[in-house]
């Protein structure tokens, strides 16, 4: 289907919180901590189950699972923010591969993480440093 746009997140984005995962079992704790972080950093009290956190958690789960399954550990999940957006950045240490959007497959076959991120976020991009490959998605704050 194609490649994602190559672009770092907006330069004015500031890091709010970061989590490091070595195993898929750690993902549950990261999701809970990420939900709490979204509430602490700008969502109105009581909105922890509204649409934006749900979408951020869903994309975090998909991108982190992909990084744990196909990348090199550790996986690093970072929550960033600008004045009007949350940005979720998921990094792994396999800089030899390029993220690609694959054709939509049957539901049980997997491979939908990037497609899902692109479908429900405001913007998606990826970039690499010398040691890490990052995929990020932006959401309304």
């Amino acid at each position: 289907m194609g490649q994602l746009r190559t672009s770092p997140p907006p330069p004015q984005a500031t890091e709010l919180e970061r989590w490091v995962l070595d195993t898929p079992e750690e993902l549950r704790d990261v999701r809970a901590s990420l939900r709490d972080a979204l509430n602490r950093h700008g969502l109105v009290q009581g909105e922890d189950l509204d649409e934006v956190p749900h979408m951020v958690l869903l994309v975090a789960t998909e991108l982190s699972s992909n990084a744990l399954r196909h990348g090199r550990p550790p996986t690093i999940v970072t929550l960033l923010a600008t004045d009007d957006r949350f940005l979720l950045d998921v990094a792994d240490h396999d800089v030899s591969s390029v993220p690609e959007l694959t054709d939509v497959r049957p539901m049980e076959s997997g491979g939908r993480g990037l497609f899902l991120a692109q479908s429900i976020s405001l913007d998606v991009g990826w970039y690499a440093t010398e040691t890490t490959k990052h995929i990020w998605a932006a959401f309304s704050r």
Side-chain angles (χ1 to χ4, degrees):
M1 190 168 160
Q3 293 183 349
L4 289 179
R5 179 172 62 91
T6 304
S7 169
Q12 70 273 24
T14 58
E15 183 177 319
L16 300 175
E17 302 206 23
R18 178 180 292 223
W19 301 268
V20 177
L21 297 101
D22 293 304
T23 67
E25 292 75 25
E26 296 169 306
L27 193 50
R28 181 187 323 180
D29 292 337
V30 169
R31 282 192 304 257
S33 183
L34 178 57
R35 184 181 59 240
D36 292 343
L38 289 166
N39 287 323
R40 281 195 311 277
H41 294 290
L43 289 179
V44 176
Q45 186 74 6
E47 290 187 6
D48 61 318
L49 296 178
D50 80 352
E51 190 173 295
V52 170
H54 176 73
M55 290 187 300
V56 174
L57 294 173
L58 182 58
V59 170
T61 300
E62 290 293 326
L63 296 182
S64 297
S65 295
N66 283 350
L68 288 163
R69 186 176 306 119
H70 303 293
R72 290 190 184 135
T75 296
I76 303 164
V77 178
T78 307
L79 179 64
L80 305 109
T82 65
D83 288 340
D84 63 343
R85 292 184 177 191
F86 282 117
L87 291 107
L88 177 73
D89 181 295
V90 178
D92 70 64
H93 292 80
D94 179 8
V95 295
S96 66
S97 66
V98 174
E100 290 190 42
L101 292 164
T102 58
D103 291 328
V104 177
R105 302 175 193 155
M107 291 299 282
E108 62 275 358
S109 66
R112 296 179 164 276
L114 291 175
F115 179 77
L116 178 70
Q118 193 171 53
S119 297
I120 66 174
S121 65
L122 299 173
D123 198 8
V124 177
W126 83 278
Y127 67 102
T129 67
E130 288 185 20
T131 59
T132 53
K133 174 181 64 215
H134 298 253
I135 299 173
W136 60 269
F139 302 88
S140 178
R141 193 165 181 183

